[in-house]
Amino acid sequence: MKCAVRRINFLFARVSLILLLCCLNTKINLCFFRTDFSIRELPLEGQLRFDDIHYAAKDFGNRYRFLPLAVLHPKSVSDIATMIQHIWKMGPNSELTVAARGHGHSIHGQAQAQRGVVINMKSLKSGNMQIHEGRLPYVDASGGELWINILHECLKYGLAPKSWTDYLHLTVGGTLSNAGISGQAFRHGPQISNVQQLEVVTGKGEVVTCSEKQNSNLFHSVLGGLGQFGIISRAQISLEPAPVMVKWIRVLYPDFQTFTQEQEYLISAEKTFDYIEGFVIKNRTGLLNDWRSTFRSHDPIQASKFKSDQKTLFCIELAKYYKHDEINDANQEVEFMLSKLNYISSTFFFTEVPYVDFLDRVHASEIKLRSKGLWDVPHPWLNLLIPKSKINTFAKEVFGNIMVDTSDGPVLMYPVNKSRWDNRTSIVIPDEDIFYLVAFLSSAVHSSKNTDSLRNILSRNRRILEFCESTNLGVKQYLPHYDTKEEWKAHFGSRWDNFVQKKLLYDPLAILAPGHRIFQKGMPIL
């Protein structure tokens, strides 16, 4: 009898638990339905899609998947403002967040918003790009415009932006929310140092025009601000007279000391190249043969005798810009500058290409990789900013012990001048006059040589970061990614409190850019 009662009680408890869970699930679903319904009713010019949204849960890193509730394809900035203002008015109890997505080139899911709204910024490309000539020329473009399109439009006027990224198929708002660094940064600073004005939608849904003289706090906060304070809907970008052609050069060095010293000399010289980047190359066979498809050798016979196997080599890549009638002067300047360098003479390779082809060089590689199915693989990139005083310590351990080879992707290493960076922006950089960008641009491609390359690359990245932290090198991550607020506090250091205050001012409910996982909606920001 007692056994029967216990069985009945157990069945009753089980049924009750099932009913309770069903009620909770229904309540949750009704809650999300009400949220869904409320944003469906918004007066938008563009489209709000609840289907065909899976692409917004994927990015170039190809490691994180956070499915949004909906994707907004805005027709105007008012669509973005309407959506954010609506979510702002819903208050802290709503789980909805908003992420701006450009070309989806983020690495760690930064442009994703789990069960939130992703804004497809490329929908803002309405063909109203404007070029303003004069003493201080600039281009006025949508935050969702691709840099490659800006380049082509500006060249019609004989103008071009001063600073670039290595890959131009990125959106204006995306790179300005980080920094935008390439081989021109030593001279012109990053892209965020070349902006005259912004139009920004804050976390309250306010559309604000800002510049150095107007709403300057928001202007500097948004530049390099990781999308935490506002979505960049328009930008005015400084321009300069555009060259037509580029003399493109690569040379190799056998030792790290000379490699860094000569890069530092080049970025400080009065007469120098227009673009300077360095690469670390380890255990690459037939390196110079790979170059021959694009470059010509200054001494083909000696180059054919050079062996790169089992060596750690260092490459400096240089570019001199010129117009057609400046070719002789450009050649003389290049010869003079090269005469000051101590590279391996047999490894001098060069070519002349149109300015557009040089700037868009990575896209050519993308096309090849896509044709082989090697573009949409995981990209566990690690980008670091390292003080000049610690670069030798870093290199000795990383390239001597941690990194076995560089076959999974290029390793960039080049110095920039801190004087070209505006310390009022939100970007965090080392506190030295010269610091290095070191970028491990790995692709996790399954191969017979390495059956689990993603795991190995992530392990290597972790070892590099642990070494930097244990030896107190003063390294800062570029395109930073952390999992905890404590790690973010350490990243910002003494600037953390100011970063929090700006968040409270411009996005107090933590609606914007949840993919960075700096702040969480519904949790105290402080």
Side-chain angles (χ1 to χ4, degrees):
M1 184 68 179
K2 289 182 180 179
C3 184
V5 170
R6 280 199 299 270
R7 188 178 296 110
I8 292 171
N9 288 338
F10 174 77
L11 289 173
F12 177 77
R14 187 174 180 182
V15 170
S16 299
L17 179 60
I18 292 172
L19 289 173
L20 176 62
L21 291 173
C22 288
C23 289
L24 286 173
N25 188 52
T26 301
K27 187 175 182 180
I28 291 170
N29 286 335
L30 285 172
C31 176
F32 277 109
F33 175 78
R34 286 195 294 270
T35 300
D36 181 329
F37 182 79
S38 70
I39 61 175
R40 280 181 186 273
E41 298 300 308
L42 292 176
L44 302 170
E45 298 176 64
Q47 286 187 321
L48 183 65
R49 299 292 299 270
F50 291 84
D51 57 350
D52 190 25
I53 60 175
H54 285 80
Y55 73 93
K58 180 182 177 181
D59 60 20
F60 182 68
N62 207 11
R63 293 178 52 222
Y64 293 84
R65 297 283 192 280
F66 298 112
L67 188 67
L69 175 68
V71 174
L72 172 62
H73 299 263
K75 193 173 181 181
S76 67
V77 66
S78 64
D79 282 348
I80 300 174
T82 296
M83 176 61 70
I84 295 177
Q85 192 174 78
H86 176 76
I87 296 174
W88 158 254
K89 289 180 178 179
M90 291 174 72
N93 293 327
S94 163
E95 294 186 357
L96 280 180
T97 56
V98 174
R101 187 182 195 272
H103 200 53
H105 205 74
S106 56
I107 306 300
H108 301 286
Q110 292 97 327
Q112 300 176 28
Q114 188 170 25
R115 302 205 71 141
V117 178
V118 169
I119 300 178
N120 184 350
M121 295 299 293
K122 291 198 292 183
S123 294
L124 278 181
K125 295 192 303 180
S126 53
N128 60 345
M129 196 187 313
Q130 299 174 6
I131 311 296
H132 295 260
E133 300 176 87
R135 189 175 64 87
L136 297 172
Y138 64 89
V139 55
D140 188 320
S142 161
E145 192 62 79
L146 296 179
W147 284 100
I148 184 63
N149 296 335
I150 288 177
L151 173 62
H152 286 299
E153 186 65 24
C154 290
L155 286 177
K156 296 176 184 178
Y157 298 81
L159 298 168
K162 300 175 181 179
S163 190
W164 298 97
T165 58
D166 287 333
Y167 181 59
L168 301 191
H169 294 253
L170 304 171
T171 58
V172 168
T175 64
L176 295 184
S177 295
N178 290 283
I181 309 175
S182 186
Q184 307 87 6
F186 76 93
R187 172 174 285 170
H188 297 294
Q191 291 182 314
I192 58 174
S193 293
N194 295 277
V195 180
Q196 296 185 17
Q197 183 175 288
L198 296 172
E199 179 186 76
V200 174
V201 185
T202 71
K204 300 177 184 178
E206 300 167 334
V207 181
V208 183
T209 299
C210 54
S211 65
E212 284 201 6
K213 296 182 179 179
Q214 180 183 8
N215 300 308
S216 61
N217 186 53
L218 178 61
F219 178 72
H220 293 116
S221 298
V222 168
L223 293 172
L226 305 176
Q228 294 300 310
F229 314 115
I231 294 174
I232 297 172
S233 52
R234 291 200 71 81
Q236 292 182 4
I237 301 146
S238 297
L239 304 176
E240 66 177 359
V244 176
M245 296 293 293
V246 174
K247 186 138 187 162
W248 185 5
I249 298 164
R250 285 180 181 170
V251 293
L252 287 178
Y253 290 80
D255 67 287
F256 185 77
Q257 195 74 25
T258 308
F259 166 69
T260 53
Q261 286 177 350
E262 301 215 330
Q263 282 197 90
E264 290 166 18
Y265 160 74
L266 287 169
I267 70 165
S268 303
E270 185 176 345
K271 286 189 177 182
T272 189
F273 292 90
D274 298 294
Y275 160 100
I276 300 167
E277 286 194 1
F279 300 86
V280 180
I281 304 162
K282 190 166 185 175
N283 290 345
R284 291 279 298 277
T285 302
L287 174 66
L288 298 188
N289 286 331
D290 294 341
W291 288 4
R292 293 179 201 277
S293 61
T294 304
F295 296 86
R296 304 193 301 275
S297 172
H298 185 69
D299 189 343
I301 296 176
Q302 289 301 314
S304 65
K305 298 177 181 179
F306 181 82
K307 303 298 181 184
S308 60
D309 305 24
Q310 307 302 317
K311 295 179 182 177
T312 300
L313 297 167
F314 307 95
C315 170
I316 298 184
E317 186 172 55
L318 306 161
K320 184 66 179 176
Y321 305 157
Y322 61 93
K323 296 181 180 179
H324 289 300
D325 59 354
E326 299 171 342
I327 179 62
N328 291 332
D329 290 340
N331 283 334
Q332 289 177 11
E333 290 179 15
V334 167
E335 287 182 18
F336 172 78
M337 289 181 286
L338 290 174
S339 70
K340 303 291 184 180
L341 305 182
N342 296 289
Y343 55 87
I344 303 170
S345 59
S346 62
T347 66
F348 174 41
F349 278 68
F350 68 98
T351 188
E352 291 92 11
V353 296
Y355 182 58
V356 172
D357 291 355
F358 173 73
L359 291 180
D360 201 28
R361 61 198 179 279
V362 176
H363 186 54
S365 300
E366 175 189 352
I367 293 172
K368 292 179 182 178
L369 291 171
R370 284 189 182 279
S371 68
K372 299 176 181 178
L374 300 177
W375 184 256
D376 295 319
V377 299
H379 294 94
W381 287 7
L382 177 63
N383 297 270
L384 304 174
L385 302 175
I386 303 175
K388 170 189 168 181
S389 65
K390 302 298 176 63
I391 196 66
N392 288 327
T393 303
F394 175 88
K396 184 177 180 180
E397 175 63 19
V398 173
F399 304 124
N401 297 319
I402 297 177
M403 176 162 278
V404 177
D405 59 44
T406 56
S407 61
D408 55 43
V411 178
L412 276 60
M413 176 180 281
Y414 57 91
V416 293
N417 295 310
K418 185 182 179 181
S419 62
R420 304 300 184 185
W421 296 61
D422 191 332
N423 61 10
R424 296 171 295 179
T425 65
S426 293
I427 185 73
V428 180
I429 59 177
D431 190 20
E432 287 192 10
D433 292 340
I434 292 176
F435 57 91
Y436 279 77
L437 170 71
V438 182
F440 301 88
L441 308 182
S442 304
S443 297
V445 180
H446 184 84
S447 67
S448 58
K449 177 182 176 182
N450 192 346
T451 56
D452 193 5
S453 60
L454 177 58
R455 179 182 299 175
N456 287 346
I457 294 168
L458 291 174
S459 175
R460 184 185 69 200
N461 289 351
R462 187 163 52 251
R463 288 181 64 193
I464 292 171
L465 290 172
E466 288 172 353
F467 168 71
C468 292
E469 184 176 357
S470 65
T471 51
N472 196 27
L473 294 186
V475 170
K476 295 297 181 182
Q477 282 195 38
Y478 174 58
L479 308 177
H481 167 68
Y482 299 102
D483 293 318
T484 68
K485 182 174 283 190
E486 289 305 313
E487 290 174 314
W488 280 109
K489 285 182 179 180
H491 171 74
F492 284 101
S494 61
R495 302 181 66 179
W496 170 252
D497 289 342
N498 183 253
F499 193 83
V500 168
Q501 291 304 316
K502 290 188 292 186
K503 185 70 171 179
L504 287 168
L505 182 61
Y506 299 118
D507 182 27
L509 294 185
I511 291 171
L512 302 177
H516 281 283
R517 297 182 281 283
I518 305 175
F519 305 101
Q520 184 177 345
K521 192 174 183 186
M523 300 292 289
I525 288 178
L526 290 173

